[in-house]
């Protein structure tokens, strides 16, 4: 499978799924059913209350309600509690490849959590538009955005939705995810007291209602019936839709074919507008001048939007010369106070420059006419920008054009209100723009809701963004500044063409600039982390062995995930630095760096770790704890096949390790086949200057040995690098972990590494 851009193969055994099927007395095993899925496993060092204990609790309550309410579902309901989602969706893979009921599933609802509550968003829906249509009609508190599916792949990670709807099935379904509270996602702070109040109740009311709608739908089909459907007659099963909720009160939903008309109407109106204005008063303005004025309006508004993003980004970079990155991380309101004023400054700057240039001209009654024409051109220029973005979204095959479409519709209504008020109160009256803004209030509320949620989600996730220096130092601040700048542009941009005459005053611009400078100075005094917004640290006790129980080396490999490096950690946690003999003058530039191979047990998640360090340690206590280390050896003599291929038979023993999370093999050499994954190899990893290698992850608690074979198409040696992740720590490692401050979350484990040649 592909994960984080890397191709890997998976082998597993002894994982446990728990399945419950509720149906009426007259149902049959072959009846089309609705699957509700949640996983009960959690990642290393995390209690998993949000991810995904909250999901399991929701399904248990739904099951209880179905039984106790006396409601007999028209179609069977399957509750799947899978036990291996965190190990790359193995629980759902096992169900989709081995369980007898897999072909009876006609629809599914997958519950996930990327936080501890808040908005329970439909992040993926499909195949086709039927699942989202059912949700739009049934959800009590609808929380769904078709744009979420457009950007889902941008963020690292995946869900069981992939197994049901894409890789191993074409089952229509919904992927519903808790998105807020991301500070605690995959940390030891993911405890039940962090669940956001009200989230579980809202999710439960939505689920029972949507479940009833799915079980009552005539479009619920088993796998064989879906394959024989007439696609042309039932476009809902293949065609995507555009949908969004308005403040969780109601949903707007329309199929793609309707969007093809609706989302291109604004562009058509703009193209018609110059002709309309010219025909309205043919002698007042030449057509070419009207067209040029509209073109200048587009450039004017586009420049404002761009400056609204550039100024926050520029200020964020400058701030990093005298402050720590991410000082806003534990204080999300600080990011908005820092970046919104300078973004607003950028939005107003084009008007200020334009007015400054026009002030050089003489004032006359003809000038008033030009000003009115200029403002009208600015309006249509801004309208055109949003209209073209809406059309671009549609023709790109994306579902997020609804926001700019709503802006276009609201701007038209506001423009009509403005024109009518001008006739009553005059062009220079403040009442005229007030009517324009009032007409835009529903749109502005939605833009603030949508944009604020997006910015808050990103702020919480920046604690997981890992990019090596030097760019990693700037990435989080620049990303948050850019998104808040863009959100400000979408929230405030629609009112700029009409209201900037009153807003683009020197006094207002000076205030915005002074406020920005003051907030940047104040922000440098804030500490980036707290117990409610912890810094993520990975502590790996690495034990290198040469077969049997012979230890060749032992180190602590330490890595951080966000923009603040280990230097920051050691500065604020001197006890840790002292324990690792790092010293107060520790610098990444002269520190020993852990090679990528040392993090094999975490591959490919290890690719998001920032620059890390290696610190030597003793391994005396390791020998006391373990009687036998993991070991790979020949199971029986190699054999040569008829085509000359050499087959090596191997036996993998995991020793006396008791809490193994995963075993990873990196196999390098002339490999042609193996006994895993039906003999098929994944796409090879191609390290610079090295031969191709193939990654295999094995999981599942068992004292049994792994017996397998590898086939090589030449006599060249096959190298096998073995990494076994054990969740247990020796006493010294536990003591080191305890030295980290309370504002950090330390993912600590032991990794056993060894290398073999066959």
């Amino acid at each position: 499978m592909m994960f984080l851009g890397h191709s890997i193969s998976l082998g597993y055994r002894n994982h446990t799924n728990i399945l419950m099927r509720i149906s009426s007395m007259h149902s049959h095993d072959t009846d089309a059913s609705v699957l509700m899925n949640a996983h009960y496993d959690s990642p290393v060092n995390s209690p998993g209350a949000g991810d995904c204990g909250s999901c399991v609790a929701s399904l248990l309550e739904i099951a209880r309600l179905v039984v106790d309410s006396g409601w007999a579902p028209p179609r069977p309901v399957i509750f799947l509690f899978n036990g291996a989602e965190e190990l790359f969706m193995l629980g759902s893979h096992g169900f989709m490849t081995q369980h007898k009921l897999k072909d009876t599933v006609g629809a599914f609802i997958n519950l996930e959590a990327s936080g501890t509550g808040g908005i329970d968003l439909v992040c993926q829906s499909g195949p086709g538009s039927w699942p989202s249509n059912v949700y739009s009609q049934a959800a009590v508190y609808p929380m769904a955005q078709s744009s979420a599916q457009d950007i889902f792949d941008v963020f690292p990670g995946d869900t069981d939705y992939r197994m049901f709807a894409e890789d191993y099935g074409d089952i229509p379904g919904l992927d519903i995810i808790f998105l807020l509270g991301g500070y605690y996602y995959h940390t030891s702070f993911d405890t039940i007291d962090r669940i956001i109040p009200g989230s579980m109740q809202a999710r439960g009311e939505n689920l029972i209602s949507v479940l009833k709608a799915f079980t009552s739908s005539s479009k619920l089909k088993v796998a064989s019936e879906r394959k024989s459907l007439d696609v042309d007659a039932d476009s809902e099963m293949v065609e995507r839709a555009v949908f969004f909720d308005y403040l969780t009160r109601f949903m707007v939903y329309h199929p793609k074919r309707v969007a093809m008309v609706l989302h291109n109407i604004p562009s058509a109106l703009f193209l018609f507008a110059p002709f309309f204005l010219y025909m309205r008063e043919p002698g007042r303005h030449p057509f070419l001048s009207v067209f040029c004025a509209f073109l200048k309006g587009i450039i004017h508004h586009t420049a404002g939007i761009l400056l609204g993003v550039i100024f926050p980004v520029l200020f964020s970079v400058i701030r990093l010369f005298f402050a720590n990155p991410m000082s806003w991380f534990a204080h999300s309101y600080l990011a908005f106070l820092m970046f919104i004023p300078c973004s607003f400054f950028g939005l107003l700057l084009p008007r200020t420059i334009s007015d400054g240039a026009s002030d050089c001209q003489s004032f006359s009654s003809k000038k008033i006419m030009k000003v009115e024409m200029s403002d009208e051109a600015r309006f249509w220029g801004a309208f055109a920008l949003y209209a073209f973005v809406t059309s671009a979204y549609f023709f790109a095959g994306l579902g997020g054009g609804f926001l700019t479409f709503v802006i276009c519709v609201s701007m038209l209504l506001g423009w009509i209100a403005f024109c009518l008020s001008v006739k009553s109160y005059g062009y220079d009256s403040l009442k005229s723009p007030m009517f324009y803004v009032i007409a835009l209030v529903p749109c502005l509320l939605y833009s603030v809701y949508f944009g604020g949620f997006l910015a808050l989600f990103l702020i919480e996730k920046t604690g997981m963004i890992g990019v090596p220096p030097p760019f990693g130092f700037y990435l989080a601040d620049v990303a948050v500044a850019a998104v808040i700048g863009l959100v400000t542009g979408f929230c405030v941009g629609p009112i700029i063409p009409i209201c900037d005459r009153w807003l683009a005053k020197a006094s207002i611009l000076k205030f915005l600039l002074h406020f920005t400078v003051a907030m940047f100075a104040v922000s440098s005094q804030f500490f980036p982390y707290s117990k409610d917004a912890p810094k993520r640290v990975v502590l790996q006790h690495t034990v290198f062995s040469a077969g049997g129980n012979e230890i060749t080396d032992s180190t602590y490999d330490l890595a951080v995930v966000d923009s603040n490096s280990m230097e920051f950690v050691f500065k604020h946690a001197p006890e840790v630095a002292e324990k690792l003999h790092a010293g107060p003058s520790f610098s990444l530039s002269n520190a020993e760096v852990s090679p990528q191979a040392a993090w094999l047990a975490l591959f490919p998640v290890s690719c998001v770790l920032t620059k890390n360090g290696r610190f030597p340690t003793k391994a005396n206590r390791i020998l006391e704890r373990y009687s036998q280390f993991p070991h790979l050896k020949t199971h029986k003599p190699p054999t040569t096949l008829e085509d000359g291929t050499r087959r090596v038979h191997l036996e993998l023993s995991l020793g006396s390790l008791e809490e193994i999370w995963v075993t990873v093999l990196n196999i390098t050499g002339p490999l042609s086949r193996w006994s895993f994954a039906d003999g098929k190899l994944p796409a090879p990893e191609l390290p610079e200057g090295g031969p191709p290698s193939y990654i295999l992850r094995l999981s599942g608690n068992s004292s049994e040995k792994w017996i397998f074979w590898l086939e090589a198409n030449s006599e060249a040696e096959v190298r096998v690098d073995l990494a076994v992740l054990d969740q247990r720590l020796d006493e010294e490692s536990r003591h080191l972990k305890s030295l980290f401050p309370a504002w950090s979350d330390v993912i600590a484990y032991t990794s056993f590494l060894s290398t073999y040649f066959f």
Side-chain angles (χ1 to χ4, degrees):
M1 70 176 297
M2 292 296 297
F3 192 80
L4 298 180
H6 297 270
S7 180
I8 55 178
S9 285
L10 306 172
Y12 63 95
R13 62 188 182 191
N14 297 331
H15 289 304
T16 302
N17 287 344
I18 301 171
L19 187 142
M20 173 172 57
R21 184 174 183 267
I22 300 177
S23 64
S24 68
M25 295 177 61
H26 306 291
S27 69
H28 301 88
D29 288 347
T30 56
D31 288 350
S33 57
V34 177
L35 173 71
M36 302 192 76
N37 176 74
H39 69 89
Y40 63 84
D41 62 321
S42 61
V44 177
N45 287 179
S46 177
D51 180 28
C52 206
S54 64
C55 311
V56 172
S58 295
L59 291 198
L60 288 173
E61 177 62 9
I62 294 296
R64 184 202 64 77
L65 184 61
V66 170
V67 173
D68 290 351
S69 66
W71 171 63
R75 307 288 183 89
V77 181
I78 299 173
F79 293 88
L80 174 61
F81 304 93
N82 82 72
E85 191 273 346
E86 300 293 355
L87 290 163
F88 299 177
M89 291 115 11
L90 296 182
S92 54
H93 175 273
F95 175 82
M96 290 301 297
T97 57
Q98 300 176 43
H99 203 279
K100 65 179 183 179
L101 293 177
K102 65 180 186 298
D103 290 330
T104 70
V105 179
F108 73 91
I109 301 173
N110 179 57
L111 297 188
E112 256 296 355
S114 186
T116 55
I119 291 178
D120 195 26
L121 191 70
V122 176
C123 289
Q124 298 184 92
S125 171
S129 60
W130 173 58
S132 54
N133 191 14
V134 170
Y135 182 88
S136 67
Q137 296 175 6
V140 180
Y141 307 106
M143 292 170 270
Q145 309 280 348
S146 53
S147 59
Q149 199 150 350
D150 299 336
I151 63 173
F152 186 83
D153 292 335
V154 174
F155 296 93
D158 225 323
T159 73
D160 288 321
Y161 174 92
R162 171 178 173 178
M163 294 294 161
F164 300 131
E166 297 172 356
D167 289 5
Y168 293 91
D170 61 347
I171 306 172
L174 302 169
D175 198 19
I176 304 178
I177 306 177
F178 274 159
L179 289 182
L180 296 183
Y183 289 126
Y184 319 116
Y185 176 66
H186 283 194
T187 72
S188 60
F189 294 87
D190 186 9
T191 52
I192 194 169
D193 57 302
R194 306 282 186 178
I195 301 295
I196 299 175
S199 301
M200 298 288 289
Q201 182 65 32
R203 165 184 270 185
E205 292 184 37
N206 277 347
L207 285 178
I208 190 63
S209 182
V210 174
L211 174 63
K212 289 181 177 181
F214 269 131
T215 57
S216 301
S217 175
S218 61
K219 296 185 178 182
L220 191 70
K221 307 289 185 183
V222 298
S224 58
E225 293 174 328
R226 289 197 303 273
K227 291 179 181 178
S228 62
L229 280 177
D230 185 348
V231 173
D232 295 328
D234 197 351
S235 58
E236 266 197 343
M237 301 305 287
V238 293
E239 183 185 40
R240 287 187 63 184
V242 175
F243 52 89
F244 61 94
D245 69 277
Y246 185 81
L247 309 181
T248 73
R249 299 301 178 185
F250 61 88
M251 273 193 65
V252 177
Y253 168 95
H254 49 268
K256 202 75 172 180
R257 60 183 181 275
V258 175
M260 180 175 64
V261 177
L262 284 180
H263 289 197
N264 290 299
I265 288 177
S267 296
L269 284 176
F270 168 75
L271 295 175
F272 176 74
F275 295 97
F276 175 77
L277 293 177
Y278 174 75
M279 296 302 296
R280 187 178 64 185
E281 298 178 84
R284 186 179 181 187
H285 304 289
F287 176 77
L288 185 59
S289 66
V290 173
F291 182 81
C292 289
F294 275 35
L295 184 60
K296 289 179 181 178
I298 296 176
I299 297 173
H300 185 278
H301 197 73
T302 303
I305 295 293
L306 291 176
L307 289 174
V309 175
I310 291 172
F311 273 95
V313 169
L314 183 63
F315 275 102
S316 72
V317 173
I318 294 173
R319 191 188 71 87
L320 293 179
F321 286 101
F322 58 87
N324 289 318
M326 300 175 60
S327 58
W328 36 261
F329 181 63
H331 320 277
S332 55
Y333 63 88
L334 191 61
F336 294 100
L337 291 175
M338 288 166 55
F339 298 128
I340 288 178
C342 55
S343 177
F344 198 25
F345 178 88
L347 287 167
L348 295 176
L349 193 58
R351 177 65 189 233
T352 305
I353 296 173
S354 176
D355 287 350
S358 63
D359 285 343
C360 299
Q361 304 175 9
S362 60
F363 188 87
S364 64
S365 59
K366 188 175 182 180
K367 172 68 187 291
I368 297 176
M369 180 186 70
K370 287 184 177 180
V371 169
E372 293 183 11
M373 178 60 194
S374 176
D375 285 350
E376 189 167 13
R378 285 194 181 98
F379 168 81
W380 285 107
F383 179 86
L385 176 63
Y386 299 119
F388 291 156
V389 169
T390 304
S391 296
Y393 257 105
F394 175 80
F395 288 113
L398 303 175
F402 59 83
L403 176 59
T404 48
F405 175 75
V406 170
I407 290 175
C408 290
V409 172
S410 301
M411 288 181 70
L412 277 178
L413 295 176
W415 179 250
I416 294 171
F418 176 74
C419 292
L420 294 175
S421 62
V422 166
K423 291 182 179 180
S424 302
Y425 303 106
Y427 183 75
D428 291 325
S429 172
L430 275 173
K431 294 181 180 179
S432 298
M434 284 178 60
F435 278 96
Y436 176 81
V437 173
I438 289 172
L440 260 69
V441 166
C443 171
L444 298 179
L445 285 175
Y446 180 74
S447 297
V448 170
Y449 162 75
F450 180 86
F453 162 73
L454 178 63
L456 185 59
F457 173 76
L458 178 64
I459 289 171
E460 294 181 348
K461 288 301 179 185
T462 50
M464 300 177 63
I465 295 178
V467 177
F471 302 108
F473 182 76
Y474 301 96
L475 179 62
D477 281 80
V478 167
V480 169
V483 168
I484 291 181
L486 189 62
V487 165
T488 303
F490 275 96
C491 292
V492 183
I495 70 172
I496 291 293
I498 302 302
C499 300
D500 59 355
R501 283 198 302 141
W502 287 269
L503 296 174
K505 304 294 184 182
S507 58
I508 294 178
L509 293 178
K510 287 180 181 178
F511 170 78
L512 292 173
L513 197 57
H514 291 163
F515 188 86
T516 298
V517 173
M519 287 308 306
F520 275 53
V522 170
S523 69
S524 64
Q525 305 303 310
F526 282 77
F527 192 72
Y529 307 104
S530 69
K531 289 183 178 180
D532 294 324
K535 178 175 179 60
R536 298 166 189 258
V537 179
V538 181
L539 173 62
Q540 174 179 283
H541 184 188
T542 312
V543 179
F544 298 87
S545 66
N549 278 23
E550 180 185 351
I551 297 178
T552 59
D553 196 7
S554 178
T555 62
Y556 284 125
D557 292 285
L558 191 67
V560 295
V561 184
D562 60 28
S563 297
N564 285 303
S565 68
M566 282 188 299
E567 294 171 341
F568 177 92
V569 176
F570 289 160
K571 176 183 177 181
H572 296 279
E575 300 88 353
V576 176
E578 181 181 353
K579 179 68 175 177
L580 295 174
H581 307 290
S585 60
F586 173 82
S587 173
L588 285 174
S589 59
N590 55 31
E592 182 183 358
V593 177
S594 303
Q596 188 65 28
W599 300 97
L600 179 60
L602 289 183
F603 186 87
V605 178
S606 56
C607 298
V608 303
L609 300 179
T610 57
K611 192 171 182 181
N612 46 67
R614 165 167 286 184
F615 307 90
T617 185
K618 298 179 181 179
N620 299 336
R621 299 296 179 89
I622 289 290
L623 292 172
E624 296 175 5
R625 175 173 287 276
Y626 299 99
S627 60
Q628 185 68 40
F629 290 172
H631 180 61
L632 183 64
K633 66 179 182 180
T634 302
H635 176 59
K636 62 182 181 179
T639 55
T640 302
L641 305 183
E642 293 181 358
D643 59 358
T645 301
R646 180 168 56 95
R647 177 175 289 184
V648 181
H649 302 270
L650 301 176
E651 174 185 292
L652 172 60
S653 170
L654 299 178
S656 59
L657 280 62
E658 298 178 1
E659 295 186 29
I660 296 174
W661 173 255
V662 70
T663 300
V664 182
L665 286 78
N666 181 21
I667 304 171
T668 306
L671 196 65
S672 58
R673 292 181 67 228
W674 58 17
S675 56
F676 297 100
D678 298 325
K680 298 177 182 178
L681 299 176
E685 294 290 313
L686 299 171
E688 293 185 14
S693 61
Y694 304 87
I695 304 296
L696 171 67
R697 286 173 56 100
L698 304 175
S699 64
N701 291 327
S702 175
S703 58
E704 298 178 23
K705 299 175 182 179
W706 289 89
I707 308 296
F708 61 98
W709 51 259
L710 307 175
E711 285 186 5
N713 52 22
S714 76
E715 291 300 320
E717 283 188 320
V718 175
R719 170 175 171 159
V720 181
D721 294 301
L722 173 66
V724 182
L725 191 158
D726 185 21
Q727 299 182 73
R728 297 183 66 180
L729 299 173
D730 62 16
E731 185 177 340
E732 186 175 351
S733 298
R734 287 198 299 270
H735 175 64
L736 175 59
K737 180 181 178 181
S738 69
L739 296 178
F740 282 85
W743 46 261
S744 64
D745 179 75
V746 183
I747 301 173
Y749 57 89
T750 305
S751 178
F752 292 86
L753 296 179
S754 53
T755 301
Y756 307 86
F757 295 90
F758 301 99

